[in-house]
Amino acid sequence: MRTADVDALARDLAAAGFTGGGVRALVGEHAEAALARMVAEPARRAALRKPGPLATLLRAFVLGDPVTDAELADALPTLGIEGAVALGIAERRAGNGTPLVAPLVAIRPHAFRDALGTGEWWIASDLDELAGVAPLRPDHVLGVGGAARTLAHLLPPVACGRSLDLGTGCGVIALHLRRFADHVVATDISARALWFTALNARLNGVDGVEIRLGSLFDPVDGERFDLIASNPPFVITPRAEGVPAYEYRDGGATGDALMAAVVGGMALHLAPGGAARLLGNWESIGAEPGLDRVRGWAGDELDVWAIERDSLDPVRYAELWLRDGGTLPRDDAHDALLDAWLDDFEARGVTSIGMGWLALRRPLATASLARFERLPHVVALEHVGGHLATAFDDAEWLAGLDDAALAAEHLVVPSDVTEARHQVPGAAGPNVIELRQGGALGRTVSVDTALAALVGACDGELALGVLVGAIAELLEVDDGILAADVLPRVRELVLTGILRRA
């Protein structure tokens, strides 16, 4: 692509006010909310009532509608129609007596917030269901969806040298990585995806992103990185004739073998102290839970924290991805495709499929964290990246402390942690005491009176051992017995962010 054309496109988008706020002002809050639900008509009606460059860009590159030559020429005065055609974002079509220009890609504003502040990019991708495209083309390149937003929030907000976006797709994660990394290598098996990545980097003035074509770790053989991020094509798809294989979600492997390969390759490609953040799916096969299988993939060289956010039975899993590809129950092909999925799961003894997050780190010495858990509750994503990064540091710190050393430490309660007490009316004291997080992973933890008192006293002034002794005296119990009971639980509270180092 000609960089001058991309630069011209950026100037035109900016001049038209083609931003999230601009779109909201044009169509209104209700129509904007409908767009998020993949419902186009309210925004289309609003845009047609208020013609102009912004309305034309919305109709063409958000909704996928053909527009007249005159409308697009007015909306893209610097790039022009010929420039848009040459760039590959539009094509001419014959209308009923009126020449039309049809979009070939979607270009949509994407606002974000991270530890460095707020910003907004234009992200180009393939036209999708919002633009009336169904089923999707096999080499479809996704725009910014829920998975990309989640992965962006999982990234550690820490400056680093080299980073890798493994399976970059449209490149939005590469742009997020570049905000913290000096250099980003973005790989994908799809040349079309890499075209979008290059377009989006240039369109938003982001340098330092190097694109490489190839499968999984092949393009970076022998290289190590300080941070690796990946939303790999992890969807478990039957290897059967007639089942569509979408590049953005299907890596061509049987079952969850692609996820096993991605996780298994991390140790060879993370620099000492380097971190990885992944999204993925894993199967429970027979009596073996999926998280136990993930434990085997990770091995013992890495610190690992696997978080299963949801678990679906085979029928619901197949239905999810049939809908994602644009195949609905009323479609002729639906039942045959559903049978193919269910046949595959039955043949391999799959009982459920877990969906979640993986955080990994290559320790400087020996691994100190191996945590595998299910957390299905709602989590405020903006807190997760920083919490996970801190947790790995805390795990290493805790591993170097025996109980006597821990008792000498000073801890504090983060400002987002609150306490709730529940009791039966008329009872002398609470039946349940809960500690609740507003940040981190939003946990609610039940504690007993002694641990609640200890947490409540952690203001950084006194050492843990002193506090334990005082509480033991109040409760009239042996301080050694109390310390042996509460200190292991204090370790858990530190790791989960309910307590932290002063």
Side-chain angles (χ1 to χ4, degrees):
M1 70 185 72
R2 294 200 323 164
T3 57
D5 288 339
V6 183
D7 295 342
L9 173 61
R11 290 193 294 271
D12 288 338
L13 297 179
F18 188 52
T19 64
V23 170
R24 187 180 311 112
L26 177 70
V27 305
E29 292 183 4
H30 297 302
E32 181 193 36
L35 288 176
R37 300 191 300 271
M38 305 299 280
V39 178
E41 191 58 25
R44 180 177 291 114
R45 288 165 59 91
L48 289 171
R49 284 195 298 265
K50 302 175 183 178
L54 178 57
T56 297
L57 293 172
L58 170 67
R59 288 166 51 211
F61 295 112
V62 175
L63 306 180
D65 296 346
V67 297
T68 67
D69 279 22
E71 287 174 322
L72 194 64
D74 185 44
L76 300 177
T78 309
L79 178 62
I81 294 175
E82 296 307 322
V85 171
L87 186 55
I89 65 171
E91 66 178 4
R92 291 186 178 277
R93 288 186 187 170
N96 292 328
T98 303
L100 298 177
V101 185
L104 295 177
V105 303
I107 304 174
R108 293 164 184 163
H110 168 59
F112 62 89
R113 178 191 298 272
D114 61 22
L116 298 180
T118 61
E120 189 168 58
W121 293 313
W122 297 296
I123 300 297
S125 62
D126 271 321
L127 297 167
D128 53 18
E129 294 96 329
L130 182 61
V133 177
L136 304 176
R137 53 189 289 168
D139 61 350
H140 178 82
V141 177
L142 282 177
V144 182
R149 290 187 180 91
T150 297
L151 182 55
H153 282 301
L154 297 184
L155 299 178
V158 180
C160 65
R162 301 185 75 230
S163 65
L164 170 65
D165 182 8
L166 186 72
T168 188
C170 71
V172 66
I173 295 300
L175 301 190
H176 280 289
L177 287 170
R178 183 63 179 90
R179 286 174 60 80
F180 296 95
D182 296 332
H183 184 77
V184 179
V185 176
T187 69
D188 207 289
I189 199 171
S190 165
R192 183 172 180 78
L194 294 179
W195 181 85
F196 276 111
T197 298
L199 172 62
N200 287 325
R202 183 72 190 192
L203 188 60
N204 294 288
V206 178
D207 62 2
V209 176
E210 177 187 354
I211 61 173
R212 300 186 192 176
L213 179 67
S215 178
L216 297 183
F217 293 103
D218 289 349
V220 293
D221 185 40
E223 299 180 50
R224 293 188 181 271
F225 298 87
D226 303 302
L227 176 59
I228 299 175
S230 185
N231 176 20
F234 55 69
V235 175
I236 297 163
T237 306
R239 309 262 68 89
E241 185 177 352
V243 177
Y246 298 107
E247 284 184 342
Y248 74 89
R249 71 183 205 189
D250 175 20
T254 297
D256 54 19
L258 183 130
M259 276 303 303
V262 171
V263 176
M266 287 295 163
L268 291 176
H269 294 282
L270 283 173
R277 300 291 185 267
L278 317 173
L279 305 182
N281 288 183
W282 38 82
E283 297 174 320
S284 293
I285 298 178
E288 185 179 22
L291 284 174
D292 285 355
R293 301 183 63 248
V294 175
R295 188 189 300 268
W297 301 343
D300 55 9
E301 293 184 58
L302 301 177
D303 292 319
V304 56
W305 192 339
I307 300 172
E308 187 171 277
R309 299 287 292 140
D310 200 0
S311 180
L312 299 180
D313 62 72
V315 175
R316 287 196 298 153
Y317 188 86
E319 289 174 344
L320 169 67
W321 294 111
L322 286 173
R323 287 194 305 272
D324 178 81
T327 302
L328 302 177
R330 65 174 178 266
D331 297 332
D332 293 340
H334 179 272
D335 288 352
L337 291 174
L338 179 59
D339 281 338
W341 247 279
L342 298 183
D343 287 346
D344 175 60
F345 286 136
E346 288 178 7
R348 295 186 297 103
V350 176
T351 55
S352 65
I353 302 92
M355 312 169 76
W357 313 333
L358 287 171
L360 308 166
R361 186 173 73 166
R362 183 178 182 85
L364 297 175
T366 58
S368 54
L369 180 62
R371 190 179 181 96
F372 303 83
E373 60 182 328
R374 183 146 194 262
L375 292 178
H377 62 262
V378 175
V379 173
L381 287 172
E382 60 266 27
H383 305 297
V384 175
H387 168 61
L388 291 177
T390 300
F392 279 99
D393 291 337
D394 286 340
E396 185 176 34
W397 173 69
L398 289 167
L401 299 177
D402 60 18
D403 280 355
L406 179 59
E409 294 291 335
H410 296 242
L411 302 180
V412 296
V413 182
S415 60
D416 66 278
V417 174
T418 58
E419 181 186 285
R421 292 179 177 241
H422 309 269
Q423 67 184 64
V424 175
N431 303 91
V432 177
I433 306 173
E434 293 177 334
L435 302 176
R436 298 176 177 175
Q437 287 179 311
L441 289 171
R443 296 175 188 270
T444 297
V445 179
S446 293
V447 295
D448 57 24
T449 302
L451 189 55
L454 180 60
V455 171
C458 283
D459 59 6
E461 292 296 322
L462 298 175
L464 276 175
V466 174
L467 297 176
V468 169
I471 293 168
E473 185 175 350
L474 286 172
L475 297 178
E476 298 181 343
V477 298
D478 181 82
D479 59 351
I481 294 174
L482 183 61
D485 174 57
V486 299
L487 288 180
R489 292 187 285 160
V490 165
R491 292 177 182 273
E492 171 70 4
L493 294 182
V494 171
L495 189 63
T496 55
I498 292 175
L499 288 172
R500 69 182 183 201
R501 290 177 269 178

